[in-house]
Amino acid sequence: MDDDRPVALDEYPVHQAPLSMKHHVSGDRNAYDRCIFHVFDHAGRAVLIAGLGVYPNTGVIDAYATLRTGDRLHAVRASDALGDDRMRLEVGPLRITVDEPLKRFTLSCAADPADPDGLSFDLAWTGDFPAVWEPHHLQRTGGRLTLEGRRFVQAGRCAGTVRAGGERFEVTAGEWTGTRDRSWGVRPIPGEEPGRAAESRPEGFHWLWIPMRFEDRFLMVVAQEDADGHRTLNQALLVRDGHRDVQLGWPRTEIAYRPGTRHPESAVIHLAEPTGKPLEIGVQVLASSPLAIGAGYPPAGDWQHGTWQGRGWTDRRVYDLSDPAAHPLAAHGVTDHSARFTLDGRTGHGIFEHGSFGRHDPSGFTGFGSTAP
């Protein structure tokens, strides 16, 4: 492969800099371009999470899929050297096909011939509402830019088949929901010396990312807070096809945690219409999938996104989640909870993504060992 040669994307008028499309405009090793899909049933039996990422300055492409059903989490991860064909979203047995941009996708994981009970799926993911931007996400640590990302999010329906552990799930619209996001920018990849940033570790971090799909509307809530409750990222948006998006004020969330943990069981999200009329959304958690187990999100100990594993690397495994003590790092990462939402007599479904570790004054958490009473 000759790095001086153009690639197929260079034929199209999509350039943002005088560079080939295979090169990132920034030389930051932490540059990334990634997607994540959620597919889950309304009864809380199964949560499938699948994603793919490209890391242009480290030459890595990787992907993952996890399925939580009962106390078992089935995981498939794959990694390889990044090639020139950026339209091919495929690594090992995992593949994402963009059938119609911003609307239709095919998600697939080929079965392992050596393990017929392993995770495999073939799914059609269809957006029911327009994709919407989240706020520009910016974070500095010790004076250095450590995160700068742009992300859009969407909700829709899914159809197809998922197999794992001897079970077969028929995914149907009306009984299953899908959400997804696309993000790109700069995000930490393991392996870099922390430098001065090690002196600036936060006392606490509180994160909520909540896409909610109802039959006639989509709501998106994002909130990131420091230890003292200072909010560094904020959004509450109502989306309806054919209508202008409506801002719903400053979201405030009351979370009921399982005693002795920071595991949310239910919540109330307080919003407000532009007229000032209050809105309340009820949240009931159905099933939970910690992103630090199987999915490669920090502080995962066995594999994290963007790390070089060698060419043609594939890993399949099954985690037992029945004993939280067996996975102590998961409590210090973000967890995706499938959830049922209620709003003004409507019932919807979506993801209640939650991460809270260290001190968080509004929740009454005093440190990393602090939990709900």
Side-chain angles (χ1 to χ4, degrees):
M1 182 172 61
D2 191 331
D3 284 342
D4 291 331
R5 292 177 180 169
V7 296
L9 270 176
D10 289 325
E11 291 283 14
Y12 298 90
V14 294
H15 297 82
Q16 299 293 310
L19 296 168
S20 169
M21 287 299 293
K22 67 182 174 184
H23 297 306
H24 197 273
V25 68
S26 166
D28 193 319
R29 74 179 291 274
N30 296 310
Y32 81 103
D33 204 327
R34 200 154 76 198
C35 64
I36 182 172
F37 289 82
H38 299 87
V39 178
F40 48 93
D41 76 314
H42 298 172
R45 292 191 308 140
V47 181
L48 176 73
I49 303 175
L52 182 144
V54 165
Y55 307 87
N57 292 336
T58 58
V60 173
I61 179 171
D62 54 31
Y64 64 93
T66 64
L67 176 72
R68 171 76 186 264
T69 175
D71 286 328
R72 310 288 279 178
L73 187 126
H74 301 262
V76 179
R77 295 86 68 85
S79 179
D80 210 339
L82 179 62
D84 287 343
D85 187 358
R86 302 300 167 83
M87 306 290 281
R88 184 183 179 189
L89 306 180
E90 182 177 355
V91 195
L94 297 160
R95 184 174 70 251
I96 298 171
T97 304
V98 181
D99 300 307
E100 181 183 346
L102 302 175
K103 184 65 176 179
R104 295 187 301 109
F105 306 85
T106 300
L107 315 178
S108 61
C109 177
D112 181 2
D115 181 15
D117 285 338
L119 175 61
S120 66
F121 53 85
D122 191 2
L123 297 167
W125 196 106
T126 303
D128 286 329
F129 300 92
V132 294
W133 290 111
E134 294 181 27
H136 190 181
H137 197 175
L138 191 69
Q139 192 168 302
R140 295 184 185 274
T141 306
R144 180 183 173 184
L145 180 70
T146 52
L147 189 152
E148 182 177 15
R150 199 65 205 269
R151 180 166 55 224
F152 63 76
V153 63
Q154 192 173 24
R157 62 189 185 276
C158 309
T161 304
V162 179
R163 297 179 177 87
E167 289 189 89
R168 175 187 172 106
F169 297 91
E170 295 297 336
V171 179
T172 57
E175 297 181 3
W176 294 67
T177 287
T179 63
R180 74 179 187 102
D181 81 41
R182 277 278 291 115
S183 69
W184 56 92
V186 173
R187 190 168 180 166
I189 299 173
E192 186 175 43
E193 290 297 325
R196 185 185 160 210
E199 299 179 355
S200 306
R201 298 189 188 280
E203 292 182 62
F205 174 83
H206 191 79
W207 168 262
L208 292 169
W209 181 85
I210 316 172
M212 297 167 272
R213 179 191 181 277
F214 294 84
E215 189 65 30
D216 63 342
R217 63 196 59 201
F218 170 56
L219 282 83
M220 185 65 205
V221 169
V222 179
Q224 178 178 312
E225 294 181 349
D226 294 335
D228 60 0
H230 178 80
R231 192 162 292 187
T232 55
L233 195 67
N234 184 83
Q235 181 184 53
L237 203 64
L238 166 64
V239 179
R240 290 175 295 171
D241 204 359
H243 295 76
R244 185 175 184 178
D245 298 343
V246 179
Q247 297 168 326
L248 298 177
W250 188 269
R252 183 173 60 85
T253 306
E254 297 178 72
I255 302 175
Y257 291 99
R258 182 181 300 162
T261 75
R262 295 198 195 186
H263 179 92
E265 294 188 320
S266 63
V268 177
I269 305 170
H270 299 275
L271 306 172
E273 294 183 354
T275 60
K277 177 187 175 183
L279 292 175
E280 283 191 359
I281 301 176
V283 184
Q284 185 64 49
V285 167
L286 300 174
S288 307
S289 190
L291 295 180
I293 302 178
Y297 285 79
D302 53 4
W303 170 73
Q304 290 192 29
H305 303 147
T307 55
W308 176 242
Q309 303 295 318
R311 293 178 180 269
W313 177 80
T314 298
D315 178 76
R316 292 176 179 262
R317 62 183 64 193
V318 179
Y319 298 86
D320 181 358
L321 302 184
S322 61
D323 180 10
H327 307 284
L329 292 180
H332 297 281
V334 172
T335 296
D336 283 352
H337 308 272
S338 65
R340 182 182 302 113
F341 299 89
T342 53
L343 170 65
D344 291 339
R346 300 177 178 86
T347 298
H349 295 85
I351 294 293
F352 188 81
E353 184 174 276
H354 171 270
S356 182
F357 28 95
R359 188 179 122 229
H360 187 238
D361 295 346
S363 300
F365 298 134
T366 57
F368 283 92
S370 178
T371 60

